[in-house]
Amino acid sequence: MGLLSLGTPLPWLESRQYNEHVRDNGVQQLLYSFKAAYGRKNDIFYWGDELEFIMFKFQNHDGEGQNAVLTLESDDVLTSLNNEDISICEANDVLFHPEYGRYMIEATPASPYEGLNTEYVENNMQIRRKLVEQRLAGRGCRLAAMAVFPRMGCEDFSDIKNVWDHHNNASKSLYLPDEVTNRHARFPTLTANIRTRRGEKVNIQVPMYKDKFTPYRDDSVYKRDWFEPEDSESVLAAKPGYIYMDAMGFGMGCCCLQITLQAPDISKARYVYDSLANIATIMLAATAASPFFKGWLADQDVRWNVISSAVDDRTPYERGVAPLLPQSNNGHGSSIKANPQRIPKSRYSVVDLFLGGNEFFDRSFNDTDVPLNEKVLETLQSNDIFELDYDLARHFSHLFIRDPLVIFQERINQDNLTSTDHFENIQSTNWQSLRFKPPNQKATPDQKDAPGWRVEFRTMELQMTEFENAAYSCFIHIITECLLTFSHEINPYMPMSKIWENMEIAHRRDAVLEQQFHWKDDLHGGRTSLSNMDHVFHNVKSGLFPQFIDRLLKYKSMVTESWRELVKSKDSSNVRLFYYLKLISDRATGNLPTAAKFLRQYVLSHPDYSQDSRVTKEINYDTLKVADRITHLDDSNGELTKFFGGEIANYIKSCTK
């Protein structure tokens, strides 16, 4: 997760004096990177994925029922994997990384993929999970591939006893103790600095699913006497009909699937970024897997806005609202800026600007209110670098309206010719639906081992099986390869304001079936209209399958007309690709449920459910049991077949015999 430096992180009131120093030097580091990579061409189309997992336990207490809890004391497993077990990881081409939650593990391939090898991708994902599971087995712990833990923040949601014997200082949360947070000094400092800069606790509001006996408001919100003024803030912030959450961990403790893709050069990387901007919002809805938060069923299906609110460090002034409490810091000067700006969005958001730089781009498509750091814009434009034009300078100057959130004392002064830490301090805490990733100063045209121009696709929700995660990963790979192959034919552009609207639409419950999205009628030009998900995926002139999947597969002589021909292939990888695509296609039409719909329906039909929108301990336990069986492709209770449908389930089971 972002930049993990070693050293002493400074609390906000000490670090903010260095904000402009970080920005000034970060811009210089960016410029040196551009100069080093100038003229870099023909890089290989490498790509890779990131998976995030949750470590948990099943608990059975005589006379007290059953529960599933997050394990906060098994994070040493990550240390073992990166030290004494590193040779095993290297032999299996896998790596493991820390994430925000102490109960989380991020897993990636050790080396990037080249080309589309479906069996290798899925097998690599399976190995990652199994290596962690082997080390957890002796502790009675499990690994969950779930986007959100249903009861995080509820009573008895973790394996730490008497956790509230001391109150937490980083988040001042009423629900999440400090022990939830990764032990690395960056994470609690990040949590505290967001709250301090904001002048209030973070304020997360998720619409509650309405059932017959759903309470009028989240009844876990009541006046404590733990912290002031934070306790009073919670009572004022909570809204009727919404699930209220008050800590960074509720968002950054969610799990996702991310894909990073390397383009041949900067021009193609910009085109890929712009082309994927709207697809990112579509794929958030298509991979929906988050139907519950803090022990409540939600009236939305995805995690995105939860994370957005969880890291929203904007002051009341920047948000254009009054502070919750009159005596609270109103934000003027909290970042010691002479003229603070209004900022319309959290730093975790859908992308704000197209990058341009191609024949289809017109600046009128950037039709949204996007504040800029004018000083940074002037600095970037005053440098004579051919590839750093106004549109790209505008993108970076927008990122630099943000303050650095964590500054390490030992890293204040850096060599801008060799380091990119100050740039990454800003870049890596602008968590947008896509991330444009420049190379560093080592990535000269003759140094092909250094990564080049990349795009990170960040919206997709983690799925319960490697089959699904590999399917969506390969899907994005094919779309991107198609864009690179036909970059002079596919025109992706629509007004950015429509993409912002699509991000809002993607959050709605059953958006795949019930909502319409802004989509182009023709990818060779054409107008934008509202389209259902079936149209977005299958329309002949603009659908993802005909215009991206079929086009590339025909170009590569893998099919003559349609991806459906793959099922007859003698190549097992092609057959597997068919079932990947069938899963995605069937979910887009509603023939198969999203993970969010499947899990919500399970809760609603559970015998312990009381039509009150609550996920009880028993329901939580059974939900994790179901998810665990599906992750391990166990169809003993018929859940795998119900989730995937008979044809796909039978194929999956036949491959695991």
Side-chain angles (χ1 to χ4, degrees), residues 109 115 122 200 232 235 268 351 382 398 413 445 488 497 563 616 619 632:
E122 186 174 343
E200 299 171 343
S232 298
V235 175
K268 289 290 183 71
V351 294
S382 65
H398 171 61
N413 297 308
H488 296 293
S497 59
W563 62 273
T616 65
I619 294 174
H632 293 89

Side-chain angles (χ1 to χ4, degrees), residues 196-259:
T196 306
R197 187 195 186 282
R198 179 183 170 90
E200 299 171 343
K201 285 196 299 183
V202 297
N203 181 358
I204 307 166
Q205 309 277 352
V206 173
M208 192 179 294
Y209 178 84
K210 302 295 193 302
D211 210 335
K212 186 175 181 179
F213 301 115
T214 302
Y216 175 66
R217 62 170 62 241
D218 181 346
D219 55 17
S220 68
V221 184
Y222 56 89
K223 185 71 166 64
R224 270 93 156 173
D225 59 356
W226 292 358
F227 315 108
E228 283 297 341
E230 288 83 3
D231 292 353
S232 298
E233 289 174 9
S234 293
V235 175
L236 293 171
K239 300 190 298 184
Y242 286 79
I243 306 164
Y244 169 72
M245 292 169 279
D246 67 345
M248 182 177 172
F250 282 112
M252 283 298 185
C254 296
C255 297
C256 67
L257 163 65
Q258 296 177 349
I259 313 298

Side-chain angles (χ1 to χ4, degrees), residues 61 106 110 112 121 126 148 155 188 200 228 258 307 317 345 370 375 405 428 448 485 543 546 565 593 599:
H61 299 294
E106 179 186 287
V121 171
Q126 290 173 341
V148 59
E155 181 185 8
E200 299 171 343
E228 283 297 341
Q258 296 177 349
I307 315 176
Y317 176 82
K345 292 161 59 183
V370 177
K375 178 183 175 183
L405 290 174
S428 68
K448 293 295 187 178
T485 304
E565 299 166 30
L599 292 169

Side-chain angles (χ1 to χ4, degrees), residues 169-204:
N169 293 313
S171 68
K172 302 294 181 73
S173 172
L174 303 181
Y175 309 104
L176 295 187
D178 282 349
E179 285 83 355
V180 163
T181 310
N182 188 297
R183 298 176 201 266
H184 189 287
R186 177 179 188 263
F187 295 96
T189 305
L190 182 62
T191 303
N193 285 2
I194 286 174
R195 175 180 53 79
T196 306
R197 187 195 186 282
R198 179 183 170 90
E200 299 171 343
K201 285 196 299 183
V202 297
N203 181 358
I204 307 166

Side-chain angles (χ1 to χ4, degrees), residues 54 56-57 59 64 66-70 103 146-159 164 175-177 180 219-220 243 245 249-250 253-254 291-297 603 608 612-624:
I54 294 172
F56 76 102
K57 292 179 180 178
Q59 290 184 340
E64 296 181 13
Q66 300 169 315
N67 193 15
V69 299
L70 294 175
Y103 55 88
M146 293 183 71
V148 59
F149 189 76
R151 281 180 56 85
M152 190 167 77
C154 298
E155 181 185 8
D156 298 329
F157 79 92
S158 78
D159 61 353
W164 292 118
Y175 309 104
L176 295 187
V180 163
D219 55 17
S220 68
I243 306 164
M245 292 169 279
F250 282 112
C254 296
F292 30 50
F293 296 93
K294 210 187 74 173
W296 298 98
L297 282 176
V603 173
D608 197 42
D612 55 2
S613 306
R614 300 179 194 272
V615 181
T616 65
K617 292 180 182 179
E618 290 285 345
I619 294 174
N620 184 60
Y621 177 90
D622 289 339
T623 301
L624 267 293

Side-chain angles (χ1 to χ4, degrees), residues 629 632-642 649-650 653:
R629 286 193 289 270
H632 293 89
L633 310 180
D634 176 358
D635 202 24
S636 57
N637 290 3
E639 293 133 345
L640 197 72
T641 296
K642 185 177 181 180
N650 288 335
K653 289 187 288 186

Side-chain angles (χ1 to χ4, degrees), residues 54 89 100 109 359 433 506:
I54 294 172
C89 295
Y100 179 86
E359 61 197 281
S433 50

